[in-house]
């Protein structure tokens, strides 16, 4: 990515975050270290199907694309129409679905993705800003979309209220057989950790 492209992404992200802070959950795009950690659950086999929730301006999208190396199918579900349009213009190998992730079952069915057929779901959604019942419903949809050995990753910002972060962790542990948490990446703004989960309990 060129310096001009990065600045364009940054301006768009900040403008969108200021307009809808509860929807975006951060004031700057995800940094390279957290992007790489979040995308690390993406398998390297050529037929992989990967879905990203809340791609924003595409920093994690790029990390996923790098891991997939031109193979498989890469989807990005983005609610904001401006961000979705930006991704369509700049990330040509990604199928961008402008939709609410809370309707994930319907969104994936409309895109021809069968339940249980996804290898990895990668998310930078502001999970702790969602209502607990919405978190639970979306995690059930993620688990139902993944194959039996599928993986899921999500960013957890240190700015989240502790009780909400604990609640999200409990929901992850109830949804997956294995949940691991990375160390805190202080270079990210805001500092963040990454949850990496395997084996959906459907």
């Amino acid at each position: 990515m060129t310096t001009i492209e990065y600045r364009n992404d940054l301006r768009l992200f900040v403008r969108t975050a200021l307009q809808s802070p509860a929807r975006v959950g951060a004031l700057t795009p995800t940094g390279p270290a957290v992007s790489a950690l979040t995308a690390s659950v993406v398998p390297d086999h050529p037929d992989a199907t990967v879905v990203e929730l809340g791609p924003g301006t595409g920093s994690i999208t790029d990390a996923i694309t790098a891991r997939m190396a031109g193979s498989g199918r890469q989807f990005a579900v983005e609610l904001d129409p401006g961000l979705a349009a930006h991704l369509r213009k700049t990330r040509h190998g990604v199928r961008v679905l402008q939709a609410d992730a809370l309707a994930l079952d319907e969104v994936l069915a409309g895109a021809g993705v069968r339940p249980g057929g996804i290898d990895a779901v990668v998310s930078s959604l502001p999970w702790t800003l969602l209502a607990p019942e919405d978190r639970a419903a979306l995690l059930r949809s993620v688990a139902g979309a993944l194959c039996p050995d599928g993986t899921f990753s999500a960013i957890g910002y240190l700015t989240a209220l502790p009780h909400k972060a604990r609640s999200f962790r409990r929901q992850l542990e109830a949804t997956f057989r294995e949940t691991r948490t990375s160390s805190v990446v202080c270079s990210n703004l805001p500092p963040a950790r990454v949850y990496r989960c395997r084996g959906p309990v459907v």
Side-chain angles (χ1 to χ4, degrees):
M1 176 180 291
T2 67
T3 301
I4 292 175
E5 289 170 336
Y6 173 77
R7 288 175 178 170
N8 289 339
D9 280 8
L10 181 60
R11 279 195 293 268
L12 176 59
F13 189 98
V14 172
R15 184 168 67 247
T16 306
L18 291 173
Q19 291 170 346
S20 306
R23 181 188 297 176
V24 177
L27 280 176
T28 60
T30 306
V34 172
S35 293
L37 272 175
T38 311
S40 67
V41 300
V42 173
D44 59 4
H45 64 76
D47 298 321
T49 297
V50 178
V51 175
E52 181 183 6
L53 307 179
T57 51
S59 54
I60 298 176
T61 309
D62 293 340
I64 295 170
T65 300
R67 285 186 64 87
M68 296 186 74
S71 64
R73 296 188 297 168
Q74 183 178 353
F75 296 87
V77 180
E78 174 55 54
L79 176 60
D80 185 88
L83 293 176
H86 172 76
L87 290 168
R88 289 192 182 104
K89 288 180 181 178
T90 58
R91 272 69 176 185
H92 300 137
V94 181
R95 183 169 177 188
V96 180
L97 308 173
Q98 198 266 301
D100 191 339
L102 291 175
L104 186 61
D105 294 338
E106 293 81 1
V107 171
L108 294 179
V113 181
R114 61 181 177 82
I118 295 173
D119 297 281
V121 175
V122 177
S123 168
S124 58
L125 295 175
W127 286 89
T128 57
L129 298 182
L130 298 176
E133 59 271 19
D134 287 339
R135 285 202 305 267
L138 181 49
L139 285 173
R140 284 195 298 270
S141 294
V142 169
L146 287 167
C147 64
D149 292 324
T151 54
F152 170 67
S153 64
I155 297 173
Y157 295 110
L158 263 64
T159 51
L161 294 174
H163 72 280
K164 290 190 175 184
R166 288 193 296 269
S167 174
F168 179 46
R169 172 73 190 225
R170 287 194 297 270
Q171 288 176 314
L172 289 173
E173 291 172 343
T175 309
F176 296 92
R177 294 191 298 272
E178 176 186 305
T179 298
R180 295 185 178 182
T181 308
S182 75
S183 57
V184 175
V185 179
C186 294
S187 60
N188 200 73
L189 186 64
R193 57 171 58 93
V194 176
Y195 301 100
R196 286 172 286 187
C197 309
R198 183 177 299 276
V201 178
V202 181

